[in-house]
Amino acid sequence: MVRNFTSEEEIQMLSKLLDEAKQRKDNVATDTNAEYSGQPFNIQTFNAISPVGLEKYPTGKYKVSGDVDALEGGPHAIMLRSHKLQVEEITPSVRAIARCGAGTNNIPVDKMSEMGIPVFNTPGANAGAVKELVVCGLLLGSRGIAEGIAHVQNNIIPEEAGDYSKINARIEKDKKMFVGQEIAGKTLGVIGLGHIGSRVVGAALSLGMKVVGYDPALSLEAAWRLPGEQMTRAKTLEDLFSRSDYISLHVPYIKEHTHHLIDEKALQVMKPKCSILNFARGEIVDGNALRAAYESGNFNGRYISDFADKDLMGHPNHIVMPHLGASTAEAEENSAAMAAEQIIDFLETGSIKNSVNFPNCSLTPKDNKSSRLCIVNENHPGVLGSITTFLGEKGINITQQINHSRDNLAYTVVDMDGQPDDPSQLQEELAKVEGIMSSRFIGVPFSNELGRPGTYYHVSWYL
């Protein structure tokens, strides 16, 4: 028989459950905020990193410094912006590198892959800033704004010797020299529909433009950010080139694929007055081919960029500005915060997201009684089997595991019952398994032996 509780009994039961829930919350808060006095994770910074991002690191549990000598035991991760990182600056203690921004041209990524070190970037963190600069570029390409300002500063004011009435009259009279066109109703071609490209699409549509997009490697996540039927997807670059009044580039620089994406052939297909906006990478546009097209008289569109080009220096059709794409306080804050969060997640759980050389990988810890072993290995047949066989022969019970690969690298995360008697010895023996590049034990961060920052990291490249 099922007992029916009275209203008063139900209220008492709910009150008890609520009190227990509050107690659990208080216990968690107490544990989280408990003062930590042990060895911290060390973060070495290059360049000036936004304080908003650095504040993500819990005080006491992380030490951040631009001086490597101030980091006892060496840096466990590196954060940087534009600093050109040298291999010699990587110590054996470094587990990860994070670039506060999207591009990683200033980091020797291939060498980091050989060393088993993930390199993170922050895609989308500066998307709003770049999108706004693209909108500015659209106006610069259509209204003669830069030319008009230069005319006032370099011609009108000197020629009229500072006479206000004459300057005022000239400014009104000379406006006819800079007649432009409106962007509403014109077609913008967007090459690359990722974080930035998708925002540019939305901005252009809101300004009344027609949009044609092209991205052969469009991910499902990126596709969800697009406005569906409001834009047209081009099947080929040639199709986009032929239809666009403006073209905005939002692709990474990959020598084998996007080097001189805008070349002589592309320029021949474009409309003669098409303006090209490049806030991605300078090498994507062939400056020599563009200058030849200008000199032939067959192409007269403006080229707006925040990159210099040795073949276009001084050409009136090249409107070049400092590299301003992500130069806003908000973009720097977003990038730094995102980079810090990714480093924290990797150091404390082994999770990888937004790495340019490692696969994305995340495995929720089962409990606080398990030990986690993160292994970087060569992506060869049989290596994963060798790892599990090795652990089995050591009497280790695997409670859960995950293995993802990318190109020549594989990343394996293994949770095991309890803690090995001699973790360091286990790592030394594991390193003898063919294909193992590095291993790192993660316990309960800041709480138990394996969770002590700076411990139980074994690399093969330094041996």
Side-chain angles (χ1 to χ4, degrees), residues 78-81 96-100 107 118-121 339 342-343:
I78 290 173
M79 282 183 75
L80 50 76
R81 291 172 58 207
I97 298 167
R99 158 83 161 90
C100 301
I107 301 172
V119 177
F120 297 90
N121 68 346
Q342 290 170 173
I343 286 178

Side-chain angles (χ1 to χ4, degrees), residues 287-309:
N288 184 54
L290 185 52
R291 188 171 194 107
Y294 285 144
E295 293 176 350
S296 72
N298 296 324
F299 187 80
N300 196 40
R302 292 185 177 96
Y303 176 42
I304 301 98
S305 75
D306 56 355
F307 301 99
D309 191 300

Side-chain angles (χ1 to χ4, degrees), residues 380-434:
H380 294 157
V383 178
L384 179 60
S386 297
I387 293 172
T388 55
T389 297
F390 169 83
L391 294 176
E393 290 175 348
K394 294 297 179 181
I396 291 174
N397 180 43
I398 297 175
T399 57
Q400 63 175 356
Q401 71 176 33
I402 190 170
N403 172 271
H404 287 172
S405 62
R406 179 173 180 175
D407 300 326
N408 297 323
L409 281 175
Y411 185 63
T412 305
V413 179
V414 175
D415 283 353
M416 59 187 72
D417 276 335
Q419 179 175 315
D421 294 332
D422 190 340
S424 295
Q425 181 63 33
L426 182 72
Q427 288 178 285
E428 288 183 15
E429 294 182 24
L430 175 63
K432 297 176 183 177
V433 175
E434 186 176 356

Side-chain angles (χ1 to χ4, degrees), residues 8-296:
E8 185 176 348
E9 287 176 324
E10 288 181 344
I11 292 173
Q12 290 176 348
M13 187 183 301
L14 289 172
S15 297
K16 183 179 179 181
L17 290 171
L18 181 60
D19 289 339
E20 291 175 351
K22 288 180 177 178
Q23 185 61 50
R24 287 195 298 270
K25 181 180 179 182
D26 291 340
N27 290 339
V28 170
T30 300
D31 292 340
T32 301
N33 296 322
E35 186 176 348
Y36 175 74
S37 59
Q39 168 70 26
F41 279 119
N42 293 330
I43 311 299
Q44 183 183 5
T45 59
F46 291 92
N47 311 117
I49 307 295
S50 168
V52 173
L54 299 183
E55 287 171 1
K56 292 289 182 179
Y57 293 113
T59 303
K61 295 181 178 180
Y62 285 80
K63 183 175 182 180
V64 181
S65 177
D67 181 6
V68 67
D69 293 330
L71 300 173
E72 184 179 351
H76 303 132
I78 290 173
M79 282 183 75
L80 50 76
R81 291 172 58 207
S82 58
H83 173 75
K84 192 169 182 61
L85 191 65
Q86 305 298 317
V87 175
E88 295 75 22
E89 294 173 308
I90 309 300
T91 66
S93 62
V94 173
R95 283 101 159 126
I97 298 167
R99 158 83 161 90
C100 301
T104 54
N105 300 51
N106 56 321
I107 301 172
V109 176
D110 289 343
K111 187 63 179 178
M112 294 305 99
S113 297
E114 294 175 11
M115 297 163 70
I117 298 174
V119 177
F120 297 90
N121 68 346
T122 58
N126 63 357
V130 179
K131 173 202 70 177
E132 292 181 2
L133 195 60
V134 170
V135 173
C136 175
L138 287 170
L139 299 176
L140 290 174
S142 63
R143 297 297 298 273
I145 297 169
E147 298 90 338
I149 293 172
H151 179 70
V152 171
Q153 296 295 326
N154 301 330
N155 298 92
I156 294 179
I157 292 176
E159 290 171 6
E160 303 303 339
D163 187 316
Y164 169 74
S165 60
K166 292 182 179 180
I167 291 172
N168 188 46
R170 281 282 302 276
I171 286 177
E172 181 65 25
K173 176 184 176 183
D174 290 2
K175 67 183 180 181
K176 63 179 179 293
M177 300 170 59
F178 307 101
V179 176
Q181 65 179 12
E182 297 181 14
I183 61 176
K186 305 302 188 297
T187 298
L188 171 66
V190 181
I191 302 176
L193 299 171
H195 290 278
I196 298 173
S198 60
R199 292 201 186 193
V200 169
V201 169
L205 290 171
S206 69
L207 290 169
M209 301 186 77
K210 302 171 186 176
V211 179
V212 178
Y214 178 81
D215 192 334
L218 185 67
S219 67
L220 180 61
E221 180 183 358
W224 280 109
R225 292 193 294 266
L226 295 173
E229 296 180 356
Q230 296 181 59
M231 65 163 282
T232 302
R233 285 192 64 185
K235 294 183 178 179
T236 65
L237 278 173
E238 289 73 19
D239 180 30
L240 182 144
F241 291 152
S242 66
R243 298 166 63 179
S244 300
D245 300 300
Y246 303 84
I247 293 173
S248 191
L249 305 170
H250 302 287
V251 294
Y253 177 66
I254 304 173
K255 191 170 184 179
E256 298 79 12
H257 302 288
T258 58
H259 181 75
H260 288 176
L261 187 70
I262 304 299
D263 57 8
E264 179 183 5
K265 182 179 178 182
L267 292 165
Q268 290 173 349
V269 179
M270 291 180 195
K271 295 179 180 180
K273 293 185 178 181
C274 177
S275 287
I276 303 167
L277 284 65
N278 181 13
F279 300 109
R281 285 292 178 268
E283 298 90 341
I284 296 171
V285 173
D286 184 348
N288 184 54
L290 185 52
R291 188 171 194 107
Y294 285 144
E295 293 176 350
S296 72

